[in-house]
Structure formats: C-alpha cells, structure tokens
Amino acid sequence: MNLDLEQSAPLRRRGPRPESTGDEVTMMPTPPPGLPARHPLQLLKRTAIIGGTLYAMHDINLFHNIIHSPKVKHEWFKIGLASSIAIMLIKAYIELYQGKKKKKQVEYENFRTATHASIFLILIAWISFHKSLSPLYGGFKTLLIMVGFGIGILLQAALMIPVTGQNILSVVILTFFLQQYK
C-alpha cells in the first residue's frame, strides 16, 4: 500500500506549497483556531463560566461565611486581602502608568522586580486565604474554592474586560469588600 502523504487528511488542509526557488521556503501562518476573543459566543461562554462559579460560591454561602463565621481565621484573611490589594496596585502602576503614560513596553525584561514581587504576593495571598478558609471548609474544598475563584472568575474577567476596566472594577470590588469586612 502506497500512502501519499500530500493527500493525507492533516496535510490536505494546509493548502498548496509555494514553488521552491532554492531560497528558504516560507509558509503563510495559519490563523488561530476557534473564534476571535471578542466574538459574542466567546463572551457568552466567559459570562456563563463566571455566573456558574458565582452560583457555586453562593450555594456554599462563601461570602456570608467569610464575613460572619467564627471558624474563618480573620487575621489570615486580612493578610490575603492586603496582598491582593498590593498585587492590584503593582498591576495598575505597571499597566497604566508605565505602559500607557510613559509608553514603556510591558514585558518581563522591563519589569523583573515587579514580576517577582507579584509572584511572591500571589503566593502569600494563596497561603493566607487557604489558612483562613481551611478550618471551615477543609483542605480540599478550600483548594477547589480558590482554584474556582482564580480560573472561574479572575481569569475569565481578565480575558473579557480591557485593562483599564479591570483596574477600575478591582478598585470598586475591593473597596466594597473592605467596607463589608470588619
């Protein structure tokens, strides 16, 4: 059996090869698979993920328990909130002031120290929120809550909302939560 590789299914979708002139052969890049990021179906999917995650957290009374439960270690939760606010401030400074105002390219090479500080603050927030909620929910359920919040709410919102909107929304939400949390 002679298999013609040019006619096999994966290669058939590539399109014709350009004629070789002896120089390097350059192929036209293929567009990324799937829908564009701002397509209404993508936005609907992200909104559904956020809504489902918020419903699951409402179903286990997460917000009420954080505010009122004596089993939550509130000192550790305050440390997590403080590190979250510090992450938000670093993010706003780099993206809005350095990136937009000073027109500096926002990449790792230009902001190594801020990147490492953010990673350290994320680690502190992760540990402190885990230590805060694990007496009430247990280790595994706390891990699921934190991953659900990170992937189901934060990541989806970051992919859906522009940078300026993210910073404004995070200030509003953290201010509201700080007023509720005593």
Side-chain angles (χ1 to χ4, degrees):
M1 179 175 167
N2 189 1
L3 179 64
D4 186 9
L5 292 178
E6 290 297 322
Q7 295 300 318
S8 67
L11 295 175
R12 195 174 37 226
R13 290 187 215 114
R14 286 190 188 168
R17 285 187 172 198
E19 293 296 320
S20 178
T21 59
D23 296 335
E24 281 188 27
V25 177
T26 56
M27 297 286 290
M28 189 186 259
T30 58
L35 298 172
R38 306 301 295 166
H39 192 275
L41 289 177
Q42 286 284 17
L43 297 176
L44 181 67
K45 178 182 91 170
R46 296 192 196 298
T47 305
I49 292 171
I50 291 172
T53 305
L54 286 173
Y55 178 76
M57 290 183 177
H58 172 73
D59 198 37
I60 61 171
N61 290 328
L62 182 66
F63 185 71
H64 181 305
N65 287 337
I66 287 172
I67 300 292
H68 300 293
S69 178
K71 291 184 178 179
V72 172
K73 294 183 180 176
H74 297 285
E75 300 81 24
W76 281 105
F77 198 83
K78 290 176 186 176
I79 293 170
L81 278 177
S83 61
S84 298
I85 292 170
I87 293 167
M88 181 195 66
L89 292 175
I90 291 172
K91 177 184 177 297
Y93 170 76
I94 289 174
E95 290 176 345
L96 296 178
Y97 181 71
Q98 293 288 335
K100 301 264 187 207
K101 184 94 169 150
K102 291 195 168 185
K103 306 290 185 207
K104 196 170 184 180
Q105 182 70 26
V106 178
E107 59 186 23
Y108 174 72
E109 295 299 323
N110 294 336
F111 298 103
R112 287 183 180 186
T113 306
T115 303
H116 295 156
S118 297
I119 291 170
F120 180 69
L121 287 169
I122 289 169
L123 180 67
I124 289 174
W126 182 271
I127 291 170
S128 62
F129 285 137
H130 186 77
K131 288 186 75 67
S132 160
L133 296 175
S134 61
L136 179 62
Y137 290 109
F140 184 69
K141 196 168 184 181
T142 300
L143 182 67
L144 287 178
I145 290 169
M146 291 168 39
V147 169
F149 183 78
I151 294 175
I153 297 174
L154 292 180
L155 179 65
Q156 303 305 321
L159 292 172
M160 198 166 67
I161 303 169
V163 173
T164 307
Q166 291 174 20
N167 291 322
I168 292 170
L169 190 63
S170 61
V171 166
V172 169
I173 290 173
L174 279 174
T175 303
F176 171 76
F177 194 73
L178 283 173
Q179 289 176 354
Q180 295 294 316
Y181 194 74
K182 295 177 175 130

